[in-house]
Amino acid sequence: MAGGPEHVAIIMDGNGRWATAKGWPRLVGHRKGAERVKEIVRCAPDLGIRWLTVYAFSTENWKRSTREVLGLMGLFARYIQREAEEMSAEGVRMRFIGERRRLDPKLQDLMAWIEERTRNNTRLNLTVAINYGGRDEITRAVQAIAAQVQAGQLDPAAVDHACLSAALDTRDLPDPDLVIRTSGETRVSNFLLWQSAYSEYEFSPVLWPDFTPEVLAEIVTRYGHRERRFGAVLS
Ligand code: FPP
């Protein structure tokens, strides 16, 4: 049996449908979604989770309306500002993955600020993916490695799995044990492509704004009954 998952990654899907079904603007769903993030962060350590990675904004999400994009960016900034105190008190270390340069400089400053402020916390490692895409991340990593090779600092024969892992945004994170996607969709959508090579997947029909700590606890328990083989045959 696998024991509990230490690193859980979540594709938080269904905010828009949740709001639309109630006749509300999509942003109301995102706002409720942000409250769920807070609750899940709070309960995660009690479920044995030490690493929690959430997909907040993909490299494809720029295609949404300006109103929705700006609304989401505002939510991220407010989350950092409002939760800074509690995260510090609760031992949460907050970090970000994704390409930052396209983000508003003020948001980039806030991200750097909270990373610095919480850097010594160890109870829970919360990583938020913003302007993140697995293919984009791998492409940027390959570019960095190619530049090192071109500069004569790296032998191409020395480029191995570890070298690539170390060039990814997630270089300081373990691979996820469990990847959850909410809202019934069964796609990976460019999330942690390299890192989830051996992860277990769980597709929950629950829309993210309805995703309670109880739902997470059930999934974590189910994970504990799975066998993970990493390509090997169990003895
Ligand atoms: C997917 O649902 C959700 C997103 C693109 C945004 C996720 C953001 C949050 C949960 C809010 C804030 C997060 C943090 C970290 C503060 P969707 O809009 O694609 O839903 P739909 O498929 O029903 O349209």
Side-chain angles (χ1 to χ4, degrees), residues 45-211:
D46 296 332
L47 296 172
I49 297 168
R50 294 201 50 229
W51 305 80
L52 178 69
T53 302
V54 294
Y55 205 1
F57 195 90
S58 77
T59 45
E60 285 69 43
N61 285 154
W62 297 104
K63 293 180 201 146
R64 297 190 176 199
S65 71
T66 309
R67 185 192 179 88
E68 185 168 347
V69 169
L70 289 178
L72 279 167
M73 295 298 159
L75 265 182
F76 303 148
R78 278 200 296 283
Y79 189 93
I80 295 170
Q81 287 166 316
R82 289 187 186 160
E83 297 308 307
E85 205 64 54
E86 182 165 335
M87 286 194 289
S88 302
E90 296 293 320
V92 178
R93 178 174 186 177
M94 189 181 204
R95 278 179 278 198
F96 300 89
I97 53 173
E99 209 322 272
R100 297 186 193 199
R101 278 173 305 180
R102 191 170 170 187
L103 304 176
D104 183 289
K106 283 193 204 124
L107 178 57
Q108 289 185 47
D109 286 349
L110 270 174
M111 288 158 68
W113 172 77
I114 195 73
E115 282 181 331
E116 182 54 32
R117 175 165 175 173
T118 61
R119 69 195 293 261
N120 292 320
N121 294 348
T122 55
R123 189 157 174 261
L124 179 73
N125 289 280
L126 169 65
T127 303
V128 181
I130 299 182
N131 192 24
Y132 175 87
R135 286 183 172 180
D136 178 68
E137 178 192 37
I138 293 169
T139 306
R140 286 186 284 108
V142 170
Q143 283 171 352
I145 290 170
Q148 278 179 275
V149 169
Q150 191 179 36
Q153 295 160 348
L154 185 64
D155 179 354
V159 178
D160 56 8
H161 291 181
C163 174
L164 202 103
S165 291
L168 295 172
D169 298 350
T170 51
R171 62 184 69 85
D172 298 321
L173 275 57
D175 287 342
D177 300 301
L178 173 66
V179 180
I180 300 169
R181 181 173 189 144
T182 62
S183 91
E185 303 291 343
T186 49
R187 289 185 298 278
V188 173
S189 294
N190 212 1
F191 189 46
L192 301 176
L193 295 181
W194 172 273
Q195 300 86 343
S196 62
Y198 288 102
S199 303
E200 297 289 325
Y201 277 87
E202 177 86 21
F203 297 100
S204 166
V206 177
L207 302 175
W208 178 252
D210 290 328
F211 196 88

